[in-house]
Amino acid sequence: MANKNNIKFSNVSLSHKNVTFEIKNLLELEIGKKYALVAPSGGGKSLFLSLLAGYPFMGWIGKKQNIEKFSFFGFEIIDECFLSNLSLRKSFTYNKIWKTVFLPQYLPNVRYVTNVSSEITFILKSIDFDITKSEIDEVKKNIQKLIGNDVLSKNLLDLSGGERRRVELFVRISAISSYSKKHENTKILLLLDEPTTGFDMRSEREFFNLIGDEFGKIKNNAILVFSTHALYLLKENIADEIVILEKSKFKKQGSFSELKPTIEGIFGGKL
């Protein structure tokens, strides 16, 4: 029996200015699963994730064909709906079912003389989870324990790219965990755009293992979608399913074994 809390796309277009992302066939994202988005460069990974997160685009979501109805984030859309720059996180969460949390590929420039502790507070407030001061302090304590090296007092400029990525990920996971305890009926869509950009192969593998471990703590109320160029790791089960995009269109969805020939055909070479 289909889970009504799953996210389903069918005959949908997501648009920003003159760029449109199309989903003609059924794409379904299930609670508790990790999904890897793969595509050639320029294939639409960042566009798709950014449009889902409403970061920082404006656009439309609407039907592509003559269909009776479709639903998005548990909300039935009769025709089409304009997305403000607050987008899905605001426009669709008045149904009290879904919230989105996004980690973009390119992090904002470091604000002037900002230490990690202040940055954590800034991120948590921007996520808009109505998190309390005691909960913020708890998140900081967890991050200090996970990363060590007196990380909270460090200036962001003194962190390596990998360290800052870890902080950014832990903050989001911790916020989701805290929020889910208070709002058991709310589901979370966690979106990570190329989370291992700039990592070497060893660090990349370790970070994806870390993502899997951390997602395991919130999976009962969440879906994880991440984009990656690390095709060599797909066979190591970093995702439950793979979603292939091509030319800003959804192409196929399935397990690694099911999609291996398609991926090799698109990218060339053996996996």
Side-chain angles (χ1 to χ4, degrees), residues 24 31 46 63 67 77 108 155 158 176 208 242 264 266:
K24 292 185 177 180
I31 288 286
S46 293
K63 296 179 181 177
I67 55 175
I77 300 172
N155 190 293
D158 295 327
I176 291 170
F208 273 119
I242 299 164
E264 289 176 341
I266 292 174

Side-chain angles (χ1 to χ4, degrees), residues 110-124:
V110 175
R111 292 173 296 122
Y112 181 65
V113 192
T114 302
N115 65 23
V116 172
S117 180
S118 298
E119 183 71 1
I120 290 170
T121 301
F122 176 78
I123 294 170
L124 289 173

Side-chain angles (χ1 to χ4, degrees), residues 151-247:
V151 68
L152 296 180
S153 63
K154 286 187 176 181
N155 190 293
L156 283 175
L157 292 171
D158 295 327
L159 297 185
S160 69
E163 286 176 324
R164 190 175 177 198
R165 277 283 168 182
R166 285 176 173 80
V167 169
E168 294 276 352
L169 176 66
F170 287 148
V171 170
R172 285 160 173 79
I173 293 287
S174 297
I176 291 170
S177 179
S178 177
Y179 186 86
S180 296
K181 291 174 183 176
K182 297 186 295 182
H183 305 273
E184 294 181 357
N185 293 326
T186 300
K187 308 303 178 186
I188 307 295
L189 179 62
L190 176 58
L191 308 169
L192 310 177
D193 190 8
E194 297 282 0
T196 56
T197 294
F199 284 37
D200 59 39
M201 292 177 69
R202 178 178 177 180
S203 298
E204 194 165 47
R205 177 177 280 105
E206 290 174 349
F207 195 67
F208 273 119
N209 288 335
L210 178 64
I211 289 172
D213 291 342
E214 292 300 308
F215 178 70
K217 300 174 183 178
I218 60 170
K219 65 182 294 184
N220 290 339
N221 291 306
I223 294 172
L224 169 61
V225 184
F226 62 87
S227 59
T228 183
H229 280 295
L231 302 181
Y232 70 98
L233 288 178
L234 295 178
K235 61 185 177 183
E236 297 184 19
N237 299 318
I238 61 171
D240 298 301
E241 291 191 13
I242 299 164
V243 176
I244 300 176
L245 313 179
E246 193 171 22
K247 297 180 180 178

Side-chain angles (χ1 to χ4, degrees), residues 39-50:
S41 295
K45 299 187 301 296
S46 293
L47 173 65
F48 180 49
L49 290 175
S50 296

Side-chain angles (χ1 to χ4, degrees), residues 3-269:
N3 187 332
K4 66 179 182 180
N5 287 325
N6 292 349
I7 300 173
K8 297 181 181 180
F9 305 84
S10 181
N11 297 313
V12 173
S13 64
L14 302 173
S15 302
H16 167 59
K17 295 183 178 178
N18 61 341
V19 180
T20 298
F21 187 93
E22 296 184 357
I23 305 173
K24 292 185 177 180
N25 300 319
L26 176 65
L27 166 59
E28 182 169 5
L29 307 177
E30 299 180 28
I31 288 286
K33 285 192 173 183
K34 307 187 297 290
Y35 295 86
L37 293 182
V38 300
S41 295
K45 299 187 301 296
S46 293
L47 173 65
F48 180 49
L49 290 175
S50 296
L51 286 168
L52 283 183
Y55 180 91
F57 299 145
M58 295 188 294
W60 292 86
I61 176 170
K63 296 179 181 177
K64 284 302 295 176
Q65 297 176 6
N66 248 345
I67 55 175
E68 293 182 5
K69 66 179 181 179
F70 67 89
S71 62
F72 195 72
F73 280 47
F75 180 78
E76 185 176 314
I77 300 172
I78 304 302
D79 187 10
E80 58 183 14
C81 178
F82 180 71
L83 305 181
S84 71
N85 58 352
L86 296 177
S87 196
L88 300 177
R89 188 165 63 189
K90 295 292 186 182
S91 300
F92 289 93
T93 54
Y94 54 73
N95 62 11
K96 307 300 182 185
I97 295 177
W98 284 97
K99 281 186 175 289
T100 60
V101 178
F102 185 40
L103 176 56
Q105 178 179 0
Y106 298 107
L107 298 173
N109 290 332
V110 175
R111 292 173 296 122
Y112 181 65
V113 192
T114 302
N115 65 23
V116 172
S117 180
S118 298
E119 183 71 1
I120 290 170
T121 301
F122 176 78
I123 294 170
L124 289 173
K125 289 182 177 180
S126 69
I127 290 175
D128 191 32
F129 269 6
D130 300 321
I131 195 165
T132 65
K133 183 181 183 303
S134 62
E135 288 169 336
I136 291 175
D137 291 340
E138 186 65 24
V139 169
K140 291 179 180 179
K141 187 186 300 182
N142 290 338
I143 289 173
Q144 177 63 58
K145 182 179 179 181
L146 286 165
I147 299 179
N149 298 324
D150 197 25
V151 68
L152 296 180
S153 63
K154 286 187 176 181
N155 190 293
L156 283 175
L157 292 171
D158 295 327
L159 297 185
S160 69
E163 286 176 324
R164 190 175 177 198
R165 277 283 168 182
R166 285 176 173 80
V167 169
E168 294 276 352
L169 176 66
F170 287 148
V171 170
R172 285 160 173 79
I173 293 287
S174 297
I176 291 170
S177 179
S178 177
Y179 186 86
S180 296
K181 291 174 183 176
K182 297 186 295 182
H183 305 273
E184 294 181 357
N185 293 326
T186 300
K187 308 303 178 186
I188 307 295
L189 179 62
L190 176 58
L191 308 169
L192 310 177
D193 190 8
E194 297 282 0
T196 56
T197 294
F199 284 37
D200 59 39
M201 292 177 69
R202 178 178 177 180
S203 298
E204 194 165 47
R205 177 177 280 105
E206 290 174 349
F207 195 67
F208 273 119
N209 288 335
L210 178 64
I211 289 172
D213 291 342
E214 292 300 308
F215 178 70
K217 300 174 183 178
I218 60 170
K219 65 182 294 184
N220 290 339
N221 291 306
I223 294 172
L224 169 61
V225 184
F226 62 87
S227 59
T228 183
H229 280 295
L231 302 181
Y232 70 98
L233 288 178
L234 295 178
K235 61 185 177 183
E236 297 184 19
N237 299 318
I238 61 171
D240 298 301
E241 291 191 13
I242 299 164
V243 176
I244 300 176
L245 313 179
E246 193 171 22
K247 297 180 180 178
S248 296
K249 295 180 181 180
F250 165 60
K251 189 176 179 69
K252 283 186 177 182
Q253 174 183 9
S255 66
F256 173 74
S257 59
E258 292 170 336
L259 298 185
K260 183 172 178 284
T262 302
I263 296 170
E264 289 176 341
I266 292 174
F267 292 93

